[in-house]
Amino acid sequence: MSLAKIFEQYPDRHYIMFGGKGGLGKTTFSAAAAYYLAKQGKKVLVFSVDPQASLSDIFKKDIFGKGPTEIMPNLYAQEIDADHRVREYQQEIRQKILDMYGMDKIPEEIESYIQAAAAEPAMEESAIFDEVVDIVVKGGYDYYIYDLVPLGHALYYLSMASVYDAWIGKITGLRQQMREYDQVAATIRRDKDLDEDAILNELLYIKDRINKSSSILTDKQKTAFFFVLTPEEMIINDTLKAADLFAKFDVPLSGYIVNRVLPAELKGQNIPDYLKHRIEMQDHYLKVIDEVFKDQIHAWVPEMERDVTGLEMIEKLSNTMFG
């Protein structure tokens, strides 16, 4: 079934993801899908969760850290500035400590901890994850297209939701238990009602946000995940392994797109041996892909004659993907 038919058949799938190894075309496919849907009259946001995002290069417009930026009617793109988000984190933490404990100034040892925590490698991923939660919870678009990081990091990203949820759930449970003890003690003392628990409310707020975001990732009605692969042995093997791993996270796999297929008409032309051997090798792996993935392949995309940058080339790729 073609990609266009897939989108027609499942109109409730509003969260679209393209995954695969680095350099296979995830970002260009994300941009081309966003272009196609925008041309269908849908309001679309394509955003990158990759710190090395290249949507700015593809759209030929500097969108880094500028929030949702209009590329053309109905099409918006966003690259997340993780460093800016981390600085916002730090300030939010300082303000919450000041508000909760009635302090005038953050103690030096706590400020040192805040600074050190911001330098942790995982903080960047956390900042991007949190920004994505913001994007999804805020709403306002018909379609959200995730330009995912390469496979290994994508699995880490997908696992973060469940890890965060488990951690926040445990902390929230302990806090609720403490709150119950406080209420019993207050009843014995015949005190008035307890003040609102700001820490518990904050934990519940974070848990609700994570649940909303993570539930989308595993919602077969709302989400479609497409693997991008090329006709090469290692890529095929890695894709099969990754598909098994993604299944463990209950990510709804909607099919595969084969990219960089060399034009078959080249075989009848006087071409260098190098290219002739590449085409022979490709023919073999195209048959393997056809046998292994069968009717789960929704598009065979040819090698483009030049880089896919700018709306003219994005339109050309979109027409090929959805044609």
Side-chain angles (χ1 to χ4, degrees):
M1 186 184 297
S2 71
L3 267 183
K5 288 285 183 190
I6 288 284
F7 277 83
E8 283 176 23
Q9 190 166 337
Y10 301 100
D12 293 331
R13 290 179 178 173
H14 300 299
Y15 302 93
I16 313 299
M17 303 176 197
F18 293 94
K21 290 193 75 170
L24 297 186
K26 298 186 302 297
T27 307
T28 50
F29 283 1
S30 298
Y35 181 93
Y36 170 78
L37 291 166
K39 282 290 186 181
Q40 304 295 309
K42 307 297 182 185
K43 189 177 179 183
V44 186
L45 176 66
V46 54
F47 59 94
S48 181
V49 302
D50 188 348
Q52 307 299 321
S54 53
L55 285 173
S56 284
D57 296 331
I58 287 175
F59 287 118
K60 291 187 173 179
K61 189 168 189 173
D62 180 14
I63 61 172
F64 181 72
K66 293 181 167 58
T69 304
E70 186 174 24
I71 303 297
M72 61 182 240
N74 290 325
L75 173 52
Y76 295 79
Q78 182 172 356
E79 282 181 349
I80 296 166
D81 182 349
D83 290 340
H84 176 73
R85 188 69 174 181
V86 169
R87 290 194 295 275
E88 285 184 342
Y89 269 166
Q90 290 176 304
Q91 191 52 38
E92 284 173 17
I93 291 168
R94 290 187 191 100
Q95 194 58 51
K96 281 172 182 169
I97 290 172
L98 293 175
D99 292 343
M100 286 181 186
Y101 298 101
M103 296 176 175
D104 297 324
K105 183 183 175 185
I106 299 294
E108 284 186 17
E109 59 271 25
I110 295 179
E111 178 60 34
S112 298
Y113 178 77
I114 292 172
Q115 293 289 344
E120 290 289 330
M123 186 59 81
E124 187 177 57
E125 281 92 349
S126 299
I128 291 175
F129 179 82
D130 199 46
E131 184 80 18
V132 172
V133 174
D134 260 359
I135 290 169
V136 169
V137 170
K138 194 179 293 179
Y141 297 90
D142 297 316
Y143 282 90
Y144 296 83
I145 298 184
Y146 295 59
D147 171 27
L148 287 175
V149 287
L151 281 176
H153 282 87
L155 287 167
Y156 174 71
Y157 171 80
L158 293 170
S159 68
M160 281 178 72
S162 57
V163 171
Y164 276 12
D165 187 51
W167 180 72
I168 293 288
K170 191 171 183 180
I171 300 293
T172 304
L174 288 171
R175 188 71 193 179
Q176 283 172 325
Q177 198 174 41
M178 288 171 61
R179 185 69 173 169
E180 288 169 9
Y181 292 151
D182 287 345
Q183 284 174 332
V184 171
T187 303
I188 293 171
R189 292 195 306 267
R190 296 183 180 180
D191 288 346
K192 292 180 181 178
D193 292 339
L194 288 174
D195 292 336
E196 191 175 8
D197 189 332
I199 294 175
L200 179 59
N201 288 344
E202 181 69 14
L203 289 169
L204 291 172
Y205 169 72
I206 294 171
K207 186 175 173 62
D208 181 60
R209 279 164 49 85
I210 291 173
N211 283 342
K212 281 178 181 171
S213 179
S214 61
S215 65
I216 287 170
L217 296 175
T218 55
D219 190 331
K220 290 181 172 59
Q221 303 299 317
K222 296 179 180 174
T223 302
F225 183 96
F226 299 98
F227 264 119
V228 179
L229 73 159
T230 54
E232 297 168 78
E233 184 178 15
M234 284 185 64
I235 301 298
I236 295 168
N237 292 339
D238 286 346
T239 302
L240 285 169
K241 290 176 191 171
D244 286 341
L245 288 170
F246 273 58
K248 290 179 182 174
F249 288 101
D250 292 325
V251 175
L253 184 54
S254 301
Y256 299 83
I257 303 172
V258 185
N259 195 19
R260 294 184 183 154
V261 180
L262 294 169
E265 58 267 25
L266 283 177
K267 285 187 286 189
Q269 299 177 14
N270 184 22
I271 55 176
D273 286 344
Y274 165 78
L275 193 51
K276 193 181 295 179
H277 294 150
R278 293 292 301 179
I279 292 174
E280 287 171 359
M281 183 189 77
Q282 175 182 272
D283 283 348
H284 169 70
Y285 289 116
L286 286 175
K287 287 176 185 169
V288 172
I289 289 172
D290 204 24
E291 290 169 4
V292 171
F293 300 102
K294 297 186 171 115
D295 56 357
Q296 297 177 83
I297 301 165
H298 300 307
W300 303 81
V301 180
E303 180 81 84
M304 306 299 277
E305 69 273 19
R306 62 181 177 86
D307 289 343
V308 179
T309 57
L311 286 180
E312 185 181 340
M313 282 302 291
I314 292 171
E315 179 184 16
K316 188 170 184 177
L317 178 62
S318 174
N319 290 340
T320 304
M321 284 174 67
F322 292 90

